[in-house]
């Protein structure tokens, strides 16, 4: 791990893994990796309690070596971090991109390299997400992959997201506290709990997986150097959710209409805000739409938006019909971009099917619903299911837009 060759990354960060392994699986499967029941998991563990799954991913071969992971960290387009424990309550955090020298000068132990959004750079990690298709797309954050030296870890901490941690190689001990107190060590570049008393312990070997709900404190320490993958599932902060929805509704209100009170009577106490005025203004505020259809349409756009600051893989030119036919000939592999979230929603009251991606909303004709459900539910796509979209001018324009924005690619 400490001897690196930068040429390993010369072929680009998308070169790791084999896209041929991205085989299609049935969406909304009711099994976790390893054949465990997803129904049981969601009922008894999701956002409720940790659970350990032995050999859940024993059939998953790590698609890259520790050296190749370090090669990704040399790339400016890859979000990477190095966390080193300097003492009992002393930690160092460095952000990539890194150089060969950064790795060759690392100590023998107590450090961890982390790569965010590995599913955007390594096709096999994107394919890994198909095994978690029983959780909605909008919940997905990313696949984080890490390499940890002996005794390495990122310290006891609490995450604001749900996570499945998969041991890919090596061995790691995980300690959990189900009722932690969020008291953090001050003046550290990372959020480390000041006091941590473990209530549960697990040893993860290659292929083992543990689920840790949001709010559960956890501390991983490497017993044998190796790779781990974390599949994280986010949830919007309630404050952000409210600010986003009300902010948009407020922005849509006319600014050239003003409050009127033609029935105002003489006031003996001009300093008093009377109930009549409060009721009238409250009624104006209540005019902001709060029906499920309006909120649902906004949620589709909001939840499909890419994270702020992310560079999206836009095409230089919009594909023409001839190009689209070539791409959908059935012999060219077709994929959904990991840079985007794909959501659909059926407004039954209005009889309208909506498809959301990248914060955009597309109204889909009833005759074309199934192909767009296919896109939203699978990462590797069946071109034969999409080819009929070329015969309709409306859906052809939508398909053209999805390719132009880089949401679909060959």
């Amino acid at each position: 791990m400490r001897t690196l060759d930068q040429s390993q990354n010369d072929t680009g960060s998308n070169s790791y893994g084999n896209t041929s392994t991205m085989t299609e699986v049935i969406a909304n499967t009711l099994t976790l990796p390893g054949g465990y029941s997803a129904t049981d998991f969601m009922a008894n563990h999701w956002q409720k309690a940790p659970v350990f799954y032995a050999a859940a991913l024993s059939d998953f071969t790590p698609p890259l070596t520790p050296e190749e992971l370090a090669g990704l960290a040399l790339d400016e387009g890859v979000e990477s971090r190095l966390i080193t424990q300097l003492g009992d309550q002393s930690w160092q955090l460095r952000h990539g991109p890194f150089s060969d020298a950064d790795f060759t000068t690392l100590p023998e132990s107590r450090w961890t390299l982390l790569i965010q959004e590995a599913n955007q750079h390594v096709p096999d990690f994107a394919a890994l997400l198909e095994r978690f298709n029983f959780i909605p797309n909008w919940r997905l954050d990313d696949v984080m992959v890490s390499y940890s030296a002996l005794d390495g870890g990122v310290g006891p901490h609490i995450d604001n997201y749900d996570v499945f941690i998969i041991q890919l190689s090596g061995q790691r001990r995980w300690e959990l506290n189900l009722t932690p107190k969020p008291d953090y060590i001050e003046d550290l570049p990372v959020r480390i709990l000041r006091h941590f008393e473990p209530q549960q312990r697990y040893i993860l070997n290659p292929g083992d997986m543990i689920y840790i709900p949001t709010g559960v404190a956890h501390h991983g320490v490497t017993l044998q150097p190796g790779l781990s993958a974390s599949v994280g599932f986010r949830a919007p902060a309630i404050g952000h959710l409210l600010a986003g929805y009300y902010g948009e509704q407020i922005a849509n209100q006319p600014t050239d209409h003003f409050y009127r009170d033609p029935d105002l009577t003489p006031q003996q106490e001009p300093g008093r805000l009377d109930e009549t005025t409060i009721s009238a203004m409250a009624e104006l505020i209540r005019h902001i739409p709060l029906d499920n259809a309006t909120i649902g349409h906004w949620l589709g756009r909001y939840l499909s938006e890419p994270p702020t600051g992310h560079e999206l893989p836009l095409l230089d030119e919009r594909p023409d019909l001839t190009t689209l036919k070539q791409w959908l000939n059935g012999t060219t592999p077709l994929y959904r971009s990991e840079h985007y979230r794909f959501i659909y929603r059926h407004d039954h009251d209005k009889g309208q099917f909506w498809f959301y991606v990248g914060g955009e909303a597309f109204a889909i004709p009833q005759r074309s619903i199934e192909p767009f459900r296919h896109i939203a539910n699978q990462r590797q796509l069946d071109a034969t299911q999409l080819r009929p979209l070329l015969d309709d001018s409306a859906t052809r324009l939508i398909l053209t837009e999805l390719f132009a924005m880089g949401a679909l690619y060959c």
Side-chain angles (χ1 to χ4, degrees):
M1 179 67 186
R2 300 181 64 212
T3 303
L4 302 173
D5 179 2
Q6 189 167 357
S7 65
Q8 293 174 90
N9 204 39
D10 288 345
T11 56
S13 60
N14 289 317
S15 62
Y16 302 109
N18 183 356
T19 57
S20 65
T21 66
M22 295 182 65
T23 54
E24 183 171 347
V25 298
I26 298 174
N28 301 321
T29 178
L30 295 181
T31 58
L32 278 82
Y36 295 96
S37 168
T39 301
D40 174 75
F41 167 77
M42 298 302 283
N44 298 310
H45 297 285
W46 175 254
Q47 297 221 313
K48 303 175 189 72
V51 59
F52 170 78
Y53 293 109
L57 280 139
S58 57
D59 62 336
F60 183 78
T61 302
L64 76 179
T65 64
E67 287 76 17
E68 288 170 332
L69 187 74
L72 281 176
L74 309 183
D75 192 328
E76 289 186 2
V78 175
E79 183 181 350
S80 56
R81 292 173 293 158
L82 264 174
I83 298 178
T84 305
Q85 184 174 1
L86 305 177
D88 288 343
Q89 294 196 341
S90 178
W91 303 77
Q92 180 189 65
L93 169 65
R94 288 184 287 165
H95 293 274
F98 298 103
S99 67
D100 286 339
D102 291 317
F103 292 108
T104 55
T105 56
L106 283 171
E108 294 290 342
S109 62
R110 306 185 85 180
W111 60 267
T112 301
L113 169 67
L114 305 103
I115 301 292
Q116 298 292 151
E117 297 172 335
N119 50 304
Q120 294 183 9
H121 308 291
V122 183
D124 281 357
F125 285 126
L128 176 64
L129 293 174
E130 295 285 3
R131 305 195 189 204
F132 299 90
N133 259 4
F134 55 90
I135 299 174
N137 287 346
W138 65 266
R139 270 294 207 153
L140 177 65
D141 188 12
D142 72 339
V143 178
M144 181 185 73
V145 179
S146 64
Y147 174 84
S148 192
L150 181 65
D151 294 329
V154 298
H157 63 284
I158 304 172
D159 289 326
N160 293 319
Y161 54 85
D162 298 81
V163 63
F164 294 89
I165 300 174
I166 305 155
Q167 195 69 28
L168 300 177
S169 63
Q171 187 183 69
R172 175 171 279 199
R173 180 183 67 242
W174 283 98
E175 298 177 327
L176 312 182
N177 184 299
L178 310 185
T179 55
K181 296 180 180 179
D183 179 22
Y184 298 96
I185 302 173
E186 297 176 354
D187 301 322
L188 284 183
V190 287
R191 286 167 64 86
I192 306 295
L193 291 169
R194 186 185 306 276
H195 303 290
F196 179 79
E197 294 293 333
Q199 297 171 334
Q200 298 180 6
R201 287 186 177 88
Y202 302 90
I203 302 296
L204 268 65
N205 293 298
D208 292 343
M209 178 174 75
I210 187 171
Y211 163 74
I212 302 175
T214 180
V216 172
H218 47 290
H219 183 207
V221 177
T222 299
L223 306 180
Q224 297 176 13
L227 295 163
S228 298
S230 300
V231 181
F233 291 89
R234 63 170 188 161
I238 294 175
H240 293 165
L241 199 66
L242 296 175
Y245 180 74
Y246 282 106
E248 179 173 296
Q249 294 302 319
I250 291 169
N252 290 336
Q253 299 302 310
T255 57
D256 56 351
H257 294 180
F258 296 89
Y259 172 75
R260 292 172 56 83
D261 50 2
D263 298 325
L264 185 66
T265 59
Q267 303 291 298
Q268 292 184 352
E269 299 179 59
R272 182 172 68 94
L273 178 63
D274 62 85
E275 289 302 318
T276 300
T277 300
I278 293 172
S279 296
M281 291 194 176
E283 188 61 29
L284 291 175
I285 293 173
R286 292 191 191 101
H287 280 172
I288 289 180
L290 292 175
D291 59 284
N292 280 4
T294 302
I295 294 175
H297 190 51
W298 174 80
L299 277 173
R301 292 180 285 116
Y302 176 77
L303 295 175
S304 69
E305 288 180 349
T308 303
H310 279 53
E311 185 175 339
L312 300 176
L314 305 179
L315 289 185
D316 294 332
E317 297 182 4
R318 297 173 67 85
D320 57 20
L321 180 58
T322 300
T323 302
L324 288 175
K325 287 182 177 179
Q326 291 174 348
W327 288 347
L328 301 181
N329 61 15
T331 61
T332 303
L334 184 62
Y335 303 100
R336 208 180 70 185
S337 172
E338 291 297 314
H339 291 267
Y340 289 95
R341 293 183 178 91
F342 298 77
I343 300 171
Y344 66 81
R345 168 180 159 269
H346 207 150
D347 186 342
H348 294 284
D349 292 338
K350 297 181 179 179
Q352 180 61 62
F353 185 91
W354 289 98
F355 182 81
Y356 305 94
V357 58
E360 301 291 335
F362 300 93
I364 306 300
Q366 289 293 321
R367 61 186 175 276
S368 302
I369 288 177
E370 286 308 312
F372 284 94
R373 285 180 47 157
H374 175 64
I375 294 173
N377 287 327
Q378 303 293 154
R379 284 179 166 76
Q380 182 171 347
L381 305 174
D382 182 354
T384 62
Q385 294 196 37
L386 306 186
R387 198 178 302 127
L389 298 177
L390 301 179
D391 299 329
D392 181 280
S393 60
T395 55
R396 185 166 65 246
L397 285 174
I398 296 173
L399 196 61
T400 300
E401 182 63 25
L402 294 180
F403 276 105
M405 63 195 293
L408 302 181
Y409 70 96
C410 297

